Amino acid sequence: MSETDAKNSPPDNGDSGDEAYEDERELKRGVLDEFSRPAGIPLNRSDVNPHLRSVRGNMHGVPPFGPPPPPPPPNFYGYPPPPPPGAFGYPPPPPMPLPENMGIEYDENGNPVVVEYEFEEEEIDGSAEENQPDNIPAREIPFEKPAIMREPLKGRSISLNDASLLSKQRKGAEKASELEKQERRDRQRVFFVRLFFFLIFMSAITVGAYFIFHMVAPQQEILPDNLGPNRNLAGKNYWNLESSKPNNVVMRFYEALGGVNKCGAVYDKMIWGSFHVGIRIEQFYCIEKRGIAYLKVGVSPHENIFLLNAEGKAKRLLSPSVSGDSEVMGWAETEALNGLIFFDEPLHKAAFVDYMSNRHPFKDLGHMTYNGEVFDAIEFQTLSGAKITYFFDLKTGLASYKFVEQKDAASRVEYQDYVEFSGIKLPRVRNVFVNEKPYGTAIFDTIKFNRDIIFPR
C-alpha cells in the first residue's frame, strides 16, 4: 500500500468513513476545534458528552489513561502574562466557595467548567411516611411559637410527628393563655389590695381629723345656748334670770353647789358608779350631754345599754351604737332610770339655756312640809308635759327631793350625801321610788365635767 493510500484509508478505531466525514463537516462548521484536541486522541463523537461537557471515555466507558493534558497557554496579545499566585511574597487568594447547587466539571479539552445542577424533589407517599419503621429518624420540623396556631390541615393526611407537634403547640397556647389569665388576676388582686389600704388610710385620716376637731372645738350643740357672747368674758355672771322668789331660790341652790359660774359652764358629764336594785348590784358607766344620757349597765357581753332623755322617753339599744336598732321602754322604767341618772338637768336648762324665751320659768310653791320637814318648793313644766317639783333645804339651799309626774307614772327621788366632784357638789346617793314603790339606789363614785366626749355612732 502506498503512502497515498495509507493516508486516505479509514481509521482503525472502528469508526466508519461516514462518521469521519461527518466529523470533518463538524470541523468545518466550527463545532469542534481540531487544534484544541489533545494529541493522540482520535476525533470521535463518543469522546464528548454533549450534556455535561466533560470527558466520558471511549465507547466502552473507560476514561483515557493518565490525567488530562494541560490547556494551551492563553494568548495575552503581546503583553506579558500576569504573575503567578503567591508571587512577590503575597499569599495566593483563597478559593471562592461555590453554592450547593453548583460544581466544577471538565470539558472535552480538560478545562474546568462551573456547572449549575438542578435537583428534582421526589414525591413521598403519605401512607408510607406514616408507616415508616421506628428506627428511621423523622425529619425535623422547624419550631414555631406556641402563641401562633397552625391552620388545620385539610385535604391530606398528617404524619404522627405533625400531630404530635400540633398537640404540643395547642398545649403551649393553652399554657400561654392560662399564664396571661393568671397575670391578669394578679394585677386585679394588687389593685384591690391597694384600694383597700387606700380606703383604710383615708378613713384613718378622716377619723383623726374628726377627733381633733372635737377636741379643739367642742360640739356647739352640747354647749348651753345662753352662754353665747358672755361665756368668754372673765368675771361675767352666768345668771341671767330676773329677780323673783322662785328664781332666787334656784340661784341660791347653784351657789350652794359651787357657784353660779361653775355650774352654768357645765355642758357634759362622765359618771361611774353602781346600781343597787334589790339584792342585785351592777356597775354602770354614763355619758351625759345636754339632758341626753348614754348609759351602760353591767359587764360586757351581758351589758344593757340605754339612751335616756331627761324630758322624754328612754330607749333600750340593741347594739352599742346610738343609731342602731332599739326599742322604746315604758314610762315606769323610764322614770326609774331618769331618777337614777339625772339630777338638776331640767333646772339647768331652764336657768342657763332657755332664759331668753322665758324669764320666769319657775313657779313658787312657798314652804312645803314633807316627812316632818319644811322646804322651799318650786314647780315648772317641761316641753314634754312632765311636771317637776324640787324641795330645797331651808338651811343649806341644796335639793333634797324631786317629784316627777308623767302621763302614766310618777316618781320620787331622794338626794343624800352631797360630795364635791371637780369643785361642784352633787348628791352621791340617790334613792328612786316609782309609783310609790322603791325601785333602787344609785351610788356615784366618780364624776367628770366638760370632757368633750361623743356618743358611739
Side-chain angles (χ1 to χ4, degrees), residues 181-299:
K181 292 180 180 179
Q182 181 65 27
E183 184 179 358
R184 190 183 303 111
R185 287 194 295 267
D186 292 342
R187 288 198 300 267
Q188 292 177 354
R189 189 180 301 109
V190 170
F191 171 77
F192 284 112
V193 169
R194 290 180 178 177
L195 179 61
F196 175 74
F197 282 106
F198 174 76
L199 294 178
I200 291 179
F201 177 72
M202 294 302 298
S203 300
I205 292 179
T206 304
V207 172
Y210 184 79
F211 179 75
I212 292 174
F213 172 78
H214 284 281
M215 286 293 294
V216 175
Q219 300 179 80
Q220 295 299 321
E221 64 270 14
I222 63 175
L223 291 174
D225 297 337
N226 67 301
L227 298 183
N230 297 328
R231 61 187 178 93
N232 294 324
L233 299 178
K236 179 68 178 178
N237 196 320
Y238 286 122
W239 188 259
N240 291 283
L241 293 180
E242 296 179 356
S243 177
S244 65
K245 184 177 179 181
N247 290 347
N248 293 339
V249 171
V250 175
M251 181 178 179
R252 181 171 176 255
F253 163 68
Y254 282 111
E255 289 289 351
L257 290 181
V260 173
N261 292 344
K262 283 186 178 181
C263 295
V266 173
Y267 55 84
D268 65 9
K269 302 175 185 176
M270 294 178 63
I271 307 171
W272 289 269
S274 58
F275 288 154
H276 299 255
V277 180
I279 60 174
R280 182 163 46 92
I281 300 177
E282 291 182 322
Q283 301 296 320
F284 74 89
Y285 162 72
C286 179
I287 301 174
E288 181 187 333
K289 290 174 179 260
R290 201 182 61 181
I292 307 296
Y294 178 84
L295 175 64
K296 280 187 177 183
V297 181
V299 181

Side-chain angles (χ1 to χ4, degrees), residues 436-449:
E436 301 299 331
K437 296 180 180 179
Y439 177 81
T441 300
I443 299 178
F444 286 28
D445 298 328
T446 304
I447 302 177
K448 296 181 180 181
F449 305 103

